[in-house]
């Protein structure tokens, strides 16, 4: 169950970074909605990391949580915010994915 919490927490991390990106490009009421989404996503992400760290070693939990968030945020940047998808950027994103999978296999 802790691994599910980590994956979900990483997804909410992607949510709060996406909301943060939208906050800086919006105004008025829409900006406040994105800010609310940021606060909710950030809170849920941290709570899920906390729950996972009750079972898994903190170093592993944090690395996986941050890795899932980093990969997801990079992909959102490429697909939603139209950031460049260079060879080296994709290479290192896949390296992160391999590291996350590796941590899953070596953690008890």
């Amino acid at each position: 169950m802790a691994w599910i919490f980590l994956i979900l927490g990483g997804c909410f991390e992607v949510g709060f970074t996406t909301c943060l990106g939208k906050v800086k490009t919006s105004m008025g009421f829409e900006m406040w909605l994105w800010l609310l989404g940021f606060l909710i996503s950030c809170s849920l992400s941290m709570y899920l990391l906390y729950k996972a760290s009750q079972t898994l070693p903190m170093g592993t939990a944090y690395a996986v949580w941050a890795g899932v968030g980093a990969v997801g945020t990079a992909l959102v940047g490429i697909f939603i915010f139209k950031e460049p998808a260079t060879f080296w950027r994709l290479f290192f994103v896949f390296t992160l994915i391999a590291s996350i999978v590796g941590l899953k296999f070596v953690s008890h």
Side-chain angles (χ1 to χ4, degrees):
M1 194 68 172
W3 288 97
I4 294 170
F5 288 153
L6 278 181
I7 301 298
L8 287 173
C11 290
F12 279 109
E13 185 180 0
V14 173
F16 79 71
T17 57
T18 302
C19 288
L20 194 58
K22 290 294 205 172
V23 163
K24 69 180 187 179
T25 62
S26 59
M27 297 173 63
F29 184 68
E30 180 184 0
M31 179 195 72
W32 289 104
L33 289 175
W34 285 114
L35 187 58
L36 179 63
F38 165 80
L39 293 171
I40 291 168
S41 295
C42 188
S43 298
L44 288 170
S45 180
M46 295 294 170
Y47 176 74
L48 291 165
L49 173 61
Y50 160 74
K51 291 298 286 180
S53 68
Q54 290 179 328
T55 305
L56 298 171
M58 188 60 193
T60 300
Y62 181 77
V64 171
W65 174 80
V68 169
V71 167
T73 300
L75 294 176
V76 165
I78 291 168
F79 292 113
I80 304 296
F81 294 111
K82 306 299 183 209
E83 295 174 357
T86 64
F87 169 79
W88 287 112
R89 188 171 188 186
L90 294 174
F91 172 79
F92 287 115
V93 165
F94 287 113
T95 303
L96 270 171
I97 293 169
S99 298
I100 293 166
V101 171
L103 280 171
K104 168 66 172 128
F105 285 119
V106 300
S107 295
H108 302 290

